[in-house]
Amino acid sequence: MKRHGCFYEDIYLYPNLCDAFHKASKGRQNDPEVVEFRKNFAVNIDALQKGLRDQSPDIGHYTYFVVRDPKTRLICAASFPERVLHHAIMNICGSILDAPAIHDSYACRTGKGSHLAVKRAQFMANQYQWFLKLDIRKYFDSIDHNIMLRLLDRKIKDQKIVLLLGKIMETYHSTNGKGLPIGNLTSQHLANYYLCYFDHWIKEQRKVKGYIRYMDDFILFRESSEMLKADLNEIQKYLNTYLKLSIKPGIQLNRSKKGIPFLGYRVFPQKVLLLPSSKKRFIHKLVKYELKYEQGIWSEEILSKHLTAMIAFIAHADSKGFQRNTIQRFGVSSYGLEPGDPRRQLEQQRQELSVSESEQQQPWQHEQQPGLSAGLRPQYSGKKNCHSPG
């Protein structure tokens, strides 16, 4: 794959930093950090330029918090000047890291996204009888810094840029020499790039035509379960040998007609349904958001803004019954709030719906196939080449 000659100096050009500021502040113009940065805009931009010119950027200032949606994750929120820096870097390097991506990689890419990934999965489910659904165990925390730097060196000629990305990686460790901070823009792009060569190996060496990846969630489609079991064996070897990654327990191998759990949906050849866990999460958020509106923490405008993404998510599934029976009971439409007494509606839901953040999705039963080991039962449960990172 071709190496690109992007230039380190382009990152701290004034127009690029201004553009990075506008991207970093989008949707949060009234945040105290953004307001403070804007007050002393010239001074702050000059500080970013100086840090980059001296190759000593001021980085690693994180605020940590935990989210459970539904997985428990430690989020690292970088300071606003750092977020501007991350956008400035990705303005220059983003397209270069995206260049080796295969067509069916859908995370953190312009013109892609989760909804297109689900549509593609449904298309594949119509083409192939069997699927193998896998994801990586603790993906962001398992990414190896040295391997990442070698992969970056394959695409980026300017060693100052590689060194800068290395310094950003060094601000966070899950274990010694491993981990990317969840929350950084740079982390999203680097994590997506980390599996690019694996994608090509799957497509070109394993000859898997039916393959989709969204970050660390990926699906292989074949005409037989035996072919997928052979793929699984080689995938585990490849990931462990070249990327120091491992597959998460709960490997799912089944017929496509049984439905594929993917990105919060259950994808069938002829329909897309919401997972039970997605429904519970939606109701829980609705209760929480309605409470914020009731208490005056959020205005109707802010509530409607938060609901838009939630409603768009369920609208991509065959969920008219769920929308009718749940959304309307809360007095919510896809355009905002409809007339109603939020307090009465919330109190009614508290009594009728038992929702807990600790509740986990219950595994559904799949058709069990003969000859599968315990680790490969359909219910929940590396050869070095030109595409290998090593």
Side-chain angles (χ1 to χ4, degrees), residues 39 58 68 124 164 175 311 366:
K39 281 181 182 176
D58 186 17
R68 297 174 179 86
M124 295 287 189
L164 174 60
T175 56
I311 293 171
H366 291 287

Side-chain angles (χ1 to χ4, degrees), residues 34 67 110 114 165 230 253 260 270 286 316 336 348 357 372 381:
V34 179
V67 297
T110 302
S114 60
L165 291 170
L253 172 65
I260 306 161
Q270 304 303 326
L286 210 49
H316 279 80
Q348 180 183 352
E357 284 206 53
L372 293 181
S381 11

Side-chain angles (χ1 to χ4, degrees), residues 20-34:
F21 165 78
H22 289 297
K23 288 180 177 178
S25 61
K26 186 177 181 180
R28 56 178 70 196
Q29 286 85 353
N30 296 323
D31 286 6
E33 275 192 304
V34 179

Side-chain angles (χ1 to χ4, degrees), residues 69 114-115 265 274 282 285-286 289 301-317 327 332-336:
D69 187 27
S114 60
H115 294 144
Y265 303 95
L274 292 171
F282 183 93
K285 284 185 176 181
L286 210 49
Y289 293 172
E301 181 182 357
I302 294 175
L303 176 60
S304 297
K305 182 179 177 180
H306 280 78
L307 290 175
T308 298
M310 290 171 55
I311 293 171
F313 173 79
I314 66 171
H316 279 80
I327 300 176
V332 179
S333 75
S334 58
Y335 303 100

Side-chain angles (χ1 to χ4, degrees), residues 320-348:
K320 289 183 179 179
F322 177 71
Q323 293 181 51
R324 181 174 58 252
N325 297 329
T326 303
I327 300 176
Q328 290 181 358
R329 291 170 69 187
F330 279 82
V332 179
S333 75
S334 58
Y335 303 100
L337 293 175
E338 293 179 345
D341 179 4
R343 177 165 313 192
R344 179 185 58 77
Q345 293 164 349
L346 179 62
E347 207 52 50
Q348 180 183 352

Side-chain angles (χ1 to χ4, degrees), residues 207-225:
K207 307 293 184 184
V208 181
K209 294 182 179 180
Y211 172 72
I212 299 169
R213 180 169 69 83
Y214 188 90
M215 195 57 77
D216 62 317
D217 287 356
F218 49 99
I219 314 171
L220 288 76
F221 294 88
R222 294 274 203 180
E223 283 303 315
S224 77
S225 59

